[in-house]
Amino acid sequence: MTTINDSLAGDFILVGFSDYPQLEKILFVAVLISYLLTLLGNTAIILISCLDPMLHTPMYYFLTHLSFVDLCFTTSIAPQLLWNLHGPYKTISPTGCAIQLYASLALGSTECVLLAVMAFDRYAAVCRPLHYATVMHSRLCQSLVGMAWLSGVGNTLIQGTITLRLPRCGNRRIYHFICEVPAMVKLACVNIHANEVQLFMASLVLLLLPLTLILISYGCIAQAVMRIRSAQAWRKALGTCGSHLLVVTLFYGTITAVYIQPNSSYAHSQGKFITLLYTVVTPTLNPLIYTLRNKDVKGALKRLLQKDRAQQSEKL
């Protein structure tokens, strides 16, 4: 195990992957590439959705917010992670730790609810196609997105504040690469049973409840498509819902493994690598999934490129 330089008194020490010094170099390159792709991919989706009138629909309105959440979520984690992986200093200031805790928790919670909102949108598109424009009107879309953001902010204000107010008795070594609630709770020098129960209940509400709503939505979609018994209907439903379902599988499959598992196993290396998946890798894959599997996005990108080329030709 490498020696961690913790000469900055008062700062938290992010132990991270210091048990694997050779792996840190590989992770630095992988995280850097992943972060740059996240910035590029999600920014592109936001710009395309805003600039192309054909994409001014509820689905892409929600996708724009999802891309923005992913962009901010990874930005709240990746730069500090890269700094710690690159050099001997594995520290983060108390203020920086609090900001990271609040930001990552708020954005992660918002994404949980936002994915459920997108599942409802897909349900309306497949099961209520004739009334889709009436059901998913702009005011409802804005309200659903507002609910997602308020849920995330409300959760982080409660959980984050309670966690940061716990007495730590000088404990500064965080056995993780980010300031996250489960890791921060372990620094407390008092009985944390109530905090563990509170964290578990919050996880049930913000993880399992949206996931249940997503499963119900896709169950209704599957029933509606099975009644039609048409191969074309199956292909259309898969094209409409496939990208979102894949994103849900990646995000919930990793984040539930961290927040629903017993706390006794959280500090193990497995928890760190799983956290790395949903904080860094998944936001990178989301724009790739939506662009590679989505004809509308690829068509919009082609139109924007053709428009740009036409403007350049006129100038010449």
Side-chain angles (χ1 to χ4, degrees), residues 37-47 66-67 70-71 283 286-287:
L37 289 174
T38 298
L39 294 177
L40 179 63
N42 286 289
T43 301
I45 285 183
I46 293 171
L47 291 176
L66 178 65
S67 295
D70 281 340
L71 195 64
N286 286 355

Side-chain angles (χ1 to χ4, degrees), residues 16 35 56 97 113 127 139 155 166:
Y35 182 49
H56 292 174
C97 187
V113 180
C127 300
R139 184 174 297 179
N155 177 55
L166 287 172

Side-chain angles (χ1 to χ4, degrees), residues 4-38:
I4 299 175
N5 194 325
D6 58 349
S7 58
L8 299 177
D11 288 354
F12 289 107
I13 304 163
L14 292 169
V15 175
F17 301 97
S18 54
D19 288 334
Y20 311 94
Q22 297 303 319
L23 183 60
E24 283 190 317
K25 298 176 182 178
I26 299 173
L27 284 176
F28 177 83
V29 176
V31 172
L32 178 60
I33 294 173
S34 182
Y35 182 49
L36 293 176
L37 289 174
T38 298

